[in-house]
Amino acid sequence: MSKDRYEIRLTGSGGQGVIMASVILAEAAIIQGKNAIQSQSYGPEARGGTSKAETIIGENELWYSKVNNPNFLLALTQASLDKYIGNIADDAIVLIDSSLTMPEGFTDGNANADKRIYSLPILKTAREDIGKPMTANIVAVGAINRLANLFSEEALQEAVKRHIPRGTEELNMRALSAGEELASAAK
Amino acid sequence: MSKDRYEIRLTGSGGQGVIMASVILAEAAIIQGKNAIQSQSYGPEARGGTSKAETIIGENELWYSKVNNPNFLLALTQASLDKYIGNIADDAIVLIDSSLTMPEGFTDGNANADKRIYSLPILKTAREDIGKPMTANIVAVGAINRLANLFSEEALQEAVKRHIPRGTEELNMRALSAGEELASAAK
């Protein structure tokens, strides 16, 4: 992240925890002394099973506005990918679950292209390696952080710990690390 | 709620679940066919232990902007009450936990005053009647809904169910009812 205003859009289906993931990214920003706005907007276009949450991070005071062309897009379902892939920044990073179909015109992990897309087994890692499908959002947070170079390891761990149920720290730290490793291997 | 744009600010300390409460209010709005924006903004002024979440509800498409003078303010801690009581709409409803000191110039439950304030035992009800302090945010949601006449019982119950862990439905429905009853008795 090298911009003064960095916009992250997280999308999936209801129940996949994208709101929590978005709140955690905002919290990590605060821990590192940045500013953040975290929001969910719901309108007619947002109905129909897709869930969307956005985090705006900035060095200076942020103004409120709609996120139109995010710098980072996460899509955990095909419906959310199809819906939001058309609106991203020119130099955006896109992270999709590996169960989804790669959108036309994109190449996996092509770091030389203007728009980079990464297809990583986020849901499978949460389900099989961590053993808890509900940690997929934390796996995603780890991968996002590594791909976009947003926060220090310590800040992100602290942010996660502030928003998970007590007693699940070890599980969620493993999920976070797993996400970071997936991203590191793909970069 | 009779306005086209109704702004709700929920404040407390970190860990009291005001973000979740705010998300639930937004969800209930959607279920009832309204539009909603739910957000947390963090800046230099937001550091220091208070947690703040905002829900904007509207009949028509909403524009993004800072919530400056909310129509409804919830304060669960003295620090958050002191911080935010100075910025509310002229006809705002304020709900504070009964452990807090009533702010100057306000009268408990005075429905004739322009600014109405209600002091209800939200934290105590969650702790002693429900037996789970962490349900205080759901007790608050029930009370808010009854005081501001926002949503149908069914829409709110459905919204709560979408955002709580599986297996805690009965507990949270009791918390919601308890909050509604507190508010009904105070009105």
Side-chain angles (χ1 to χ4, degrees), chain A residues 67-104:
Chain A
V67 167
N68 283 315
N69 296 307
N71 305 98
F72 197 106
L73 172 67
L74 167 75
L76 290 178
T77 64
Q78 193 67 43
S80 64
L81 176 62
D82 295 346
K83 188 163 182 173
Y84 295 109
I85 191 65
N87 296 97
I88 57 175
D90 287 339
D91 58 351
I93 302 175
V94 180
L95 171 59
I96 67 175
D97 187 69
S98 55
S99 62
L100 311 186
T101 305
M102 186 71 68
E104 243 177 90

Side-chain angles (χ1 to χ4, degrees), chain B residues 72 74 95 120 122 138-149 156 175-184 187:
Chain B
F72 197 107
L74 167 76
L95 171 59
L120 301 179
I122 296 164
I138 306 297
V139 175
V141 162
I144 291 165
N145 190 45
R146 193 55 63 89
L147 292 174
N149 290 320
L156 192 59
L176 193 66
S177 296
E180 289 167 346
E181 284 162 26
L182 287 178
S184 292
K187 269 182 107 170

Side-chain angles (χ1 to χ4, degrees), chain A residues 30 36 38 40 42 61 66, chain B residues 30 36 38 40 42 61 66:
Chain A
I30 304 318
Q38 192 286 316
Q40 289 66 244
Y42 309 82
E61 201 180 350
K66 241 178 183 155
Chain B
I30 304 319
Q38 192 286 316
Q40 288 67 244
Y42 309 81
E61 201 182 349
K66 239 177 184 157

Side-chain angles (χ1 to χ4, degrees), chain A residues 1 72 93 108-112 116-120 142-150 179-187:
Chain A
M1 176 188 154
F72 197 106
I93 302 175
D108 192 6
N110 185 346
N112 296 316
R116 282 175 289 159
I117 191 162
Y118 295 91
S119 171
L120 302 177
I144 291 165
N145 190 45
R146 194 56 63 89
L147 292 174
N149 290 320
L150 296 171
E180 290 167 346
E181 284 162 26
L182 286 179
S184 292
K187 272 182 103 168

